Amino acid sequence: MTSIFAHRGYHVDRPENSVSAVAAARDIGADGVEIDVRLTADKHLIVNHDRSINGHVIAATGLSELSARTAVAQLVDVIEAAGEMRINVEIKSTHSAPYNVAVARAVSELLDESPASSRCLVSSFSLAICDEVRRVAPERKVGWLVQRRPAQFVLDQVARSHLTSAHFPFSRVNPSVAQRAARLGVELHAWTPNLRRDINRMLELEVDAVITDDVVLALELRAECGRATER
């Protein structure tokens, strides 16, 4: 059955990537939540999509300065708010190789020490980050996020690198991609279908996970799909 993940939490009336958005996703019954993680200059893991907060580049700024005027969610608090949901921890990369190694190791260490470790998947657009996470945490589920790379190349690379999943924009997922992923034993995660027709198409293709902003609709459509299968 396709899992439904809340993209940056359930943020209809809450800030995305916030503790409250993650808790809301849990409360409405999402199977999981996808969040974005960055490392501050003083080595705190915070949950934020953009590279800066209030004009301050996260990688070059300490936590106290970043949170002086804006509530900043830390990864450890978001994990707690997720309850029993699965968590897709997307590590945001920079052009700095040392930073990318540092954030990959920091996330791995935190997750290895967390009671939620077995429910966590790490993903990134950076294959180097994926490889580093897998190197320091061989049992960790790891997914490669891609946008425009050829699907066959991506799936083959994921299989060769012993990663867990390939994460494509939903528009890139078609029957041939789904079939090749199944043959290779690679999980297929589709982001971010939000319209009824697009979510339904992903459900019909039986992707492993849909990462969506409209969690309520996705859950309803999955339930309808299940009832149709039973008839």
Side-chain angles (χ1 to χ4, degrees):
M1 182 174 63
T2 298
S3 297
I4 307 300
F5 277 66
H7 182 231
R8 304 178 192 169
Y10 185 62
H11 52 84
V12 173
D13 56 357
R14 297 166 177 82
E16 63 180 33
N17 275 318
S18 65
V19 170
S20 61
V22 170
R26 176 199 66 207
D27 293 343
I28 63 173
D31 301 305
V33 63
E34 181 267 357
I35 55 173
D36 303 302
V37 173
R38 294 181 181 272
L39 186 67
T40 67
D42 51 353
K43 309 306 179 187
H44 290 277
L45 289 165
I46 67 170
V47 182
N48 200 76
H49 177 269
D50 296 339
R51 66 188 294 270
S52 61
I53 296 176
N54 293 327
H56 298 287
V57 176
I58 292 169
T61 311
L63 177 63
S64 60
E65 188 173 359
L66 290 169
S67 57
R69 290 184 294 167
T70 304
V72 176
Q74 294 195 59
L75 178 57
V76 64
D77 297 323
V78 166
I79 289 174
E80 183 177 355
E84 296 302 310
M85 283 193 301
R86 281 173 282 163
I87 307 169
N88 177 346
V89 179
E90 181 189 337
I91 299 178
K92 291 296 189 182
S93 63
T94 70
H95 295 300
S96 165
Y99 169 88
N100 292 342
V101 169
V103 68
R105 291 177 180 174
V107 169
S108 297
E109 290 172 6
L110 187 149
L111 295 184
D112 283 347
E113 296 172 0
S114 170
S117 180
S118 63
R119 301 194 305 275
C120 294
L121 158 80
V122 173
S123 63
S124 182
F125 280 101
S126 166
L127 187 57
I129 285 178
C130 294
D131 288 340
E132 181 65 14
V133 172
R134 174 48 56 87
R135 189 186 70 79
V136 300
E139 302 305 315
R140 173 72 50 212
K141 291 183 176 181
V142 182
W144 188 23
L145 269 156
V146 295
Q147 191 158 16
R148 298 184 180 87
R149 294 174 183 265
Q152 180 174 326
F153 166 79
V154 171
L155 293 170
D156 290 348
Q157 182 64 55
V158 167
R160 280 196 301 270
S161 300
H162 304 290
L163 304 181
T164 309
S165 51
H167 300 219
F168 290 100
F170 73 89
S171 59
R172 298 281 313 283
V173 180
N174 56 43
S176 64
V177 171
Q179 290 162 12
R180 188 172 186 85
R183 285 197 303 271
L184 292 170
V186 172
E187 289 186 14
L188 198 55
H189 295 219
W191 52 274
T192 31
N194 295 323
L195 299 179
R196 177 179 293 269
R197 66 172 184 268
D198 298 326
I199 296 171
N200 267 331
R201 189 165 65 87
M202 295 301 101
L203 295 173
E204 289 167 1
L205 290 172
E206 298 182 337
V207 301
D208 294 279
V210 162
I211 304 167
T212 180
D213 294 300
D214 200 335
V215 182
V216 173
L217 175 61
L219 290 171
E220 290 174 354
L221 294 176
R222 187 180 66 179
E224 290 175 9
C225 184
R227 288 192 293 269
T229 301
E230 291 172 1
R231 287 200 291 269

